[in-house]
Amino acid sequence: MNVEAFSSPIFVKRASYIVQEIASPADAIEFLNDWPEDRRDLTYETALRACCDAYAGHIPVAAASKAFVRFAKRVAILEDPTSAMQWIAACKAGSGKVQA
Protein backbone atom coordinates (compact mmCIF):
# COMPACT_ATOMS: atom_id res chain seq x y z
CA MET A 1 0.00 0.00 0.00
CA ASN A 2 1.13 3.51 -0.72
CA VAL A 3 0.07 5.28 2.47
CA GLU A 4 1.01 8.87 3.14
CA ALA A 5 3.33 9.82 5.93
CA PHE A 6 2.07 12.00 8.76
CA SER A 7 2.41 15.73 8.00
CA SER A 8 5.10 15.85 10.68
CA PRO A 9 6.70 12.99 12.60
CA ILE A 10 5.60 12.17 16.12
CA PHE A 11 8.29 11.40 18.66
CA VAL A 12 7.58 9.05 21.57
CA LYS A 13 9.64 7.73 24.45
CA ARG A 14 10.13 4.03 23.91
CA ALA A 15 12.24 3.62 27.06
CA SER A 16 14.05 5.89 29.49
CA TYR A 17 16.64 7.07 26.99
CA ILE A 18 15.17 5.91 23.69
CA VAL A 19 13.04 8.18 21.52
CA GLN A 20 11.30 6.69 18.50
CA GLU A 21 10.08 8.58 15.45
CA ILE A 22 6.59 7.66 14.25
CA ALA A 23 6.27 8.96 10.69
CA SER A 24 3.28 7.08 9.29
CA PRO A 25 0.26 4.95 10.16
CA ALA A 26 2.40 1.84 9.56
CA ASP A 27 4.98 3.04 12.11
CA ALA A 28 2.19 3.77 14.59
CA ILE A 29 0.60 0.34 14.09
CA GLU A 30 3.94 -1.37 14.69
CA PHE A 31 4.49 0.69 17.86
CA LEU A 32 0.96 0.05 19.13
CA ASN A 33 1.20 -3.69 18.46
CA ASP A 34 4.23 -3.79 20.77
CA TRP A 35 2.40 -1.88 23.52
CA PRO A 36 1.96 -4.01 26.69
CA GLU A 37 -1.44 -5.71 26.76
CA ASP A 38 -2.05 -4.77 30.38
CA ARG A 39 -1.70 -1.05 29.48
CA ARG A 40 -4.15 -1.09 26.58
CA ASP A 41 -7.29 0.99 27.09
CA LEU A 42 -9.94 2.78 25.05
CA THR A 43 -7.46 5.48 23.92
CA TYR A 44 -5.11 2.75 22.72
CA GLU A 45 -7.92 0.96 20.87
CA THR A 46 -9.06 4.21 19.24
CA ALA A 47 -5.52 5.05 18.09
CA LEU A 48 -4.94 1.55 16.72
CA ARG A 49 -8.28 1.52 14.88
CA ALA A 50 -7.61 4.98 13.39
CA CYS A 51 -4.13 4.01 12.22
CA CYS A 52 -5.39 0.76 10.68
CA ASP A 53 -8.23 2.62 8.95
CA ALA A 54 -5.83 5.27 7.61
CA TYR A 55 -3.45 2.55 6.41
CA ALA A 56 -6.34 0.94 4.54
CA GLY A 57 -7.33 4.29 3.05
CA HIS A 58 -10.68 4.51 4.85
CA ILE A 59 -9.93 7.70 6.81
CA PRO A 60 -7.49 10.61 6.36
CA VAL A 61 -3.95 10.11 7.60
CA ALA A 62 -4.33 13.32 9.63
CA ALA A 63 -7.08 11.68 11.71
CA ALA A 64 -4.78 8.78 12.54
CA SER A 65 -2.00 11.18 13.49
CA LYS A 66 -4.31 13.05 15.87
CA ALA A 67 -5.52 9.81 17.45
CA PHE A 68 -1.95 8.60 17.96
CA VAL A 69 -0.92 11.93 19.52
CA ARG A 70 -3.89 11.73 21.93
CA PHE A 71 -2.80 8.21 22.90
CA ALA A 72 0.83 9.30 23.40
CA LYS A 73 -0.22 12.26 25.55
CA ARG A 74 -2.54 10.11 27.65
CA VAL A 75 0.18 7.59 28.46
CA ALA A 76 2.80 10.34 28.89
CA ILE A 77 5.21 9.18 26.19
CA LEU A 78 4.89 12.11 23.79
CA GLU A 79 8.27 13.76 23.28
CA ASP A 80 8.75 17.38 22.27
CA PRO A 81 9.71 17.34 18.55
CA THR A 82 12.20 20.20 18.96
CA SER A 83 14.13 18.35 21.64
CA ALA A 84 14.03 15.10 19.70
CA MET A 85 15.24 16.71 16.47
CA GLN A 86 18.16 18.40 18.26
CA TRP A 87 19.17 15.06 19.77
CA ILE A 88 18.97 13.34 16.37
CA ALA A 89 21.02 16.11 14.73
CA ALA A 90 23.68 15.83 17.43
CA CYS A 91 23.92 12.07 16.94
CA LYS A 92 24.31 12.40 13.16
CA ALA A 93 27.06 15.04 13.48
CA GLY A 94 29.76 12.55 14.45
CA SER A 95 31.24 9.87 12.23
CA GLY A 96 30.60 7.15 14.80
CA LYS A 97 34.28 6.22 14.84
CA VAL A 98 36.31 6.18 18.02
CA GLN A 99 39.02 8.81 17.88
CA ALA A 100 42.40 7.86 19.34
Side-chain angles (χ1 to χ4, degrees):
M1 282 204 139
N2 186 15
V3 178
E4 296 177 43
F6 293 149
S7 62
S8 58
I10 301 163
F11 295 94
V12 292
K13 291 179 238 175
R14 184 140 188 118
S16 296
Y17 297 101
I18 299 173
V19 175
Q20 182 174 344
E21 178 181 8
I22 307 296
S24 68
D27 290 348
I29 292 167
E30 183 178 337
F31 182 88
L32 291 166
N33 281 335
D34 289 341
W35 193 250
E37 288 188 31
D38 63 328
R39 294 190 62 200
R40 296 177 183 185
D41 61 6
L42 184 57
T43 307
Y44 164 88
E45 295 294 337
T46 302
L48 181 60
R49 186 176 318 111
C51 292
C52 289
D53 286 349
Y55 185 80
H58 300 303
I59 67 169
V61 171
S65 176
K66 287 178 184 177
F68 187 81
V69 167
R70 279 193 301 273
F71 161 77
K73 283 181 179 178
R74 174 143 167 67
V75 297
I77 61 169
L78 187 64
E79 186 68 29
D80 174 46
T82 306
S83 299
M85 292 303 285
Q86 290 172 350
W87 182 81
I88 290 169
C91 288
K92 289 183 179 178
S95 66
K97 296 180 181 176
V98 176
Q99 301 291 323

